Amino acid sequence: MQTTPLLKLAAEVKAAPQPNPKAAQAARAVLAAVDRHIIPSYRVLAEAADAQEKAWTAFAANRAAGDIESLKAAYNATADAWARAQLVKTGPLSLFLRYERFAYWPEARNVTQRMLDQLIKSNDPKELAPETLVRDSVAAQGLTALERLLHDGDNPGQLLKASGQAGEWRTQIGLGLARNMSSIADDVLAEWTARDGVRAAIAANKPWKTIFADTPEAASLLLTDLVSAFRLMHDVKLLAVMSASVDVARPRVAESWRSGRSQRNLKLNLESAQALTRIWDETTPAAHRTKIDSLYAAALKAMDAVPADLGEAAADPMRRPRVEAARAGIKAVQVEIAATLPTDLGITLGFNSLDGD
């Protein structure tokens, strides 16, 4: 019997490989995460870092006015934006040590102070040139170094009161670091949004530099970033401070303790993770979404009860239970997300993000 063109076409369609529904779902989810959370977070970071540079520029132009509160406000706005954006490392932020240059933390053996002291003593403007900062130690850069200039010891007073070259040079250091951070944030945003940038590559199922080969790999890496963010929150920002017991807690290991931001940074991390999770899990089973939402709500409630001086609270027998409750809440979210989201979305994580726990 002769095969008609219509029957032949039907046979070809039947024989052709059908699209993987999970793969299509994952592709939609990752692009939604990029458009609705990742790029907006980097955009806010770039705006905050630009405003911080302008604040330092204004301060340098009129140091005698002593408006150091404007510098602290700009620092806090940038630190807020960083706490929301830092969870996603995949892409431009992972290149050229940008992540570490924007906020070198945790630091080993107070290296930031040592490197900042060297920078102050150098009194050499060449040390603040962009081409120098790119290759110099990350320890004396970014939020970690600016926090010391604004909040540690007599540094704020030196910015305001040191006469002549000493005070002026410290001001130039702050301006140089703020300018560098603004440049990093601008570059990261540009490389995400350019016509040949990360977002375009994901949308076109193409590789981007050496970071990922296609959309499925990008989805894997970005979902891994979300799960791995809980290791940052739980292992680094909490466990390292709490240690095994109240007797061996390490308050000065807490992130941004000098500026009183330890609890705030962690809460903003958690809120950002929740917002990103809600985009990823929009197409997952309702029961899974409900459970994840309830775990986030419990973790955020526990975080709200943690004192601002998180590190000191971890070393206080009366207040430590509140820190422990937040730790347990964050861990519960981590375990549930790692157990359900990758399977629901058909995405394999880049590595086991629960290793080492």
Side-chain angles (χ1 to χ4, degrees):
M1 185 178 74
Q2 186 175 7
T3 303
T4 66
L6 185 59
L7 288 174
K8 183 177 181 182
L9 178 60
E12 289 175 351
V13 170
K14 185 176 180 181
Q18 298 301 303
N20 183 340
K22 285 280 189 182
Q25 177 187 14
R28 289 192 297 271
V30 69
L31 205 54
V34 167
D35 287 343
R36 290 160 50 193
H37 185 86
I38 296 173
I39 288 178
S41 295
Y42 284 136
R43 182 169 286 113
V44 171
L45 181 63
E47 291 169 353
D50 179 63
Q52 179 175 244
E53 180 187 350
K54 290 177 180 176
W56 277 95
T57 300
F59 181 84
N62 191 14
R63 189 166 67 94
D67 188 17
I68 197 168
E69 293 306 314
S70 67
L71 302 180
K72 291 181 177 180
Y75 164 82
N76 279 321
T78 306
D80 280 357
W82 174 249
R84 295 186 179 99
Q86 75 174 128
L87 305 186
V88 177
K89 293 184 179 181
T90 295
L93 190 60
S94 67
L95 302 176
F96 313 117
L97 293 176
R98 284 170 172 154
Y99 184 96
E100 292 79 8
R101 289 166 56 213
F102 202 94
Y104 178 66
W105 187 87
E107 56 173 312
R109 299 180 298 279
N110 204 27
V111 64
T112 293
Q113 189 62 59
R114 297 199 305 274
M115 299 305 298
L116 185 58
D117 286 344
Q118 289 182 24
L119 182 57
I120 291 172
K121 290 177 183 177
S122 75
N123 199 25
D124 183 359
K126 292 180 181 178
E127 292 295 325
L128 299 174
E131 59 271 19
T132 303
L133 290 172
V134 166
R135 63 174 186 271
D136 271 6
S137 170
V138 299
Q141 298 186 38
L143 288 171
T144 312
L146 280 182
E147 183 190 31
R148 279 175 167 78
L149 284 177
L150 293 170
H151 293 280
D152 197 33
D154 68 346
N155 281 336
Q158 291 290 323
L159 275 172
L160 289 173
K161 300 174 184 176
S163 61
Q165 196 174 42
E168 180 63 29
W169 175 236
R170 285 174 183 266
T171 301
Q172 290 304 311
I173 289 174
L175 175 56
L177 298 181
R179 183 183 297 119
N180 187 53
M181 293 170 66
S182 180
S183 176
I184 291 170
D186 286 344
D187 287 346
V188 169
L189 178 62
E191 289 176 31
W192 266 98
T193 57
R195 292 182 62 183
D196 57 350
V198 184
R199 196 266 180 204
I202 293 173
N205 193 28
K206 292 181 177 180
W208 190 79
K209 298 187 184 296
T210 60
I211 304 298
F212 55 80
D214 51 22
T215 300
E217 186 175 9
S220 173
L221 292 171
L222 290 169
L223 186 59
T224 298
D225 278 350
L226 172 61
V227 179
S228 299
F230 286 87
R231 293 190 66 188
L232 172 68
M233 290 184 270
H234 182 271
D235 295 10
V236 182
K237 297 193 178 188
L238 281 173
L239 276 187
V241 178
M242 297 175 71
S243 296
S245 69
V246 68
D247 297 326
V248 291
R250 300 187 293 168
R252 297 299 174 88
V253 172
E255 182 187 30
S256 303
W257 63 267
R258 293 171 180 83
S259 53
R261 293 189 53 91
S262 302
Q263 185 269 357
R264 180 170 180 78
N265 287 352
L266 191 52
K267 183 182 178 183
L268 291 173
N269 285 161
L270 191 58
E271 289 176 347
S272 181
Q274 181 186 41
L276 187 53
T277 301
R278 283 177 169 168
I279 298 172
W280 277 110
D281 72 4
E282 284 178 342
T283 58
T284 62
H288 290 177
R289 295 199 302 275
T290 299
K291 184 173 183 180
I292 289 174
D293 280 345
S294 68
L295 290 172
Y296 265 118
L300 284 166
K301 183 178 180 179
M303 272 305 311
D304 282 336
V306 173
D309 59 338
L310 183 156
E312 296 295 339
D316 180 351
M318 298 298 294
R319 298 189 294 162
R320 184 180 172 93
R322 285 186 270 172
V323 183
E324 168 58 28
R327 183 210 63 77
I330 287 173
K331 186 64 178 180
V333 180
Q334 178 191 24
V335 171
E336 183 63 23
I337 285 178
T340 60
L341 263 187
T343 301
D344 289 344
L345 291 167
I347 296 174
T348 302
L349 294 182
F351 58 88
N352 185 349
S353 294
L354 296 178
D355 281 350
D357 291 355

